[in-house]
Amino acid sequence: AEVFDLLDPLEPDDRQRVIRGVLAMLGDPISGGASTGGVYTEDDSVDIDGLGPRARKWLNMYSISPEQLEHVFHIDGENVELLDIQVPGNSKRQQTVNSYLLVGAKQLIATDVPKFDDKSALEYCKRAGCHDSANHAVNRNALGNRASGSKNSGYSLSVPGLKEVADVIKQVAEVAP
């Protein structure tokens, strides 16, 4: 019933895209060639050593290339580092949200699970120059439906968060020298 309530307000094409995205993130096979609507299958996977099936499917689903990843992450086997980049966003709030999303993506690439703790995201916000101590909690709460969880229990990127962080990675790669 809860899933129905979430999908009911969406248009049919959006429902299908959400369902395919969730299946891909769960690691369930997606078949049907052209009927997958742009969702890639295992045969189309990105070739990065040590990448787990969920991370691979996420990269393929949103057409993120290894070259685009290189502008945001340093990947060396199981070691994944988030580079010091100019985080996209027109405000500290948007940059904070994007920083949290990037930390979640880092964890997805490193561990195959997009779960991260607030401390790691806060540290990255400080490194990226978007930490606003007076408004950080409000800025963090602007994550909205892009992540679930809390400061104390940690966060996990949702499907909207995974889609948005893919766009953030592509934005960084577009402006990179």
Side-chain angles (χ1 to χ4, degrees), residues 20-169:
R20 286 190 305 267
V22 170
L23 288 173
M25 293 308 300
L26 290 170
D28 291 350
I30 300 171
S31 61
S35 68
T36 62
V39 176
Y40 294 84
T41 62
E42 195 72 29
D43 296 337
D44 301 317
S45 63
V46 171
D47 186 25
I48 298 175
D49 289 339
L51 201 60
R54 283 182 169 177
R56 191 177 304 278
K57 287 181 186 294
W58 169 70
L59 292 171
N60 287 320
M61 184 169 24
Y62 295 108
S63 302
I64 304 169
S65 70
E67 292 77 22
Q68 290 169 321
L69 283 180
E70 288 176 358
H71 293 288
V72 182
F73 304 100
H74 174 73
I75 303 171
D76 185 16
E78 292 181 17
N79 186 27
V80 180
E81 296 295 324
L82 190 49
L83 301 174
D84 292 330
I85 59 169
Q86 177 62 46
V87 176
N90 296 327
S91 66
K92 290 211 185 265
R93 177 175 291 178
Q94 187 59 50
Q95 289 175 326
T96 297
V97 167
N98 288 340
S99 293
Y100 271 69
L101 295 174
L102 288 167
V103 171
K106 172 193 176 284
Q107 286 304 109
L108 176 60
I109 294 166
T111 67
D112 212 33
V113 179
K115 186 169 175 71
F116 60 100
D117 60 63
D118 187 68
K119 181 180 177 186
S120 299
L122 175 62
E123 288 173 5
Y124 188 71
C125 286
K126 289 178 180 177
R127 274 183 34 211
C130 62
H131 180 253
D132 177 358
S133 59
N135 296 305
H136 186 75
V138 172
N139 293 346
R140 177 186 60 228
N141 289 339
L143 275 167
N145 72 342
R146 294 169 276 211
S148 61
S150 69
K151 177 182 174 184
N152 296 328
S153 66
Y155 297 96
S156 186
L157 295 184
S158 63
V159 172
L162 291 165
K163 180 186 183 316
E164 190 164 327
V165 75
D167 293 338
V168 170
I169 291 167

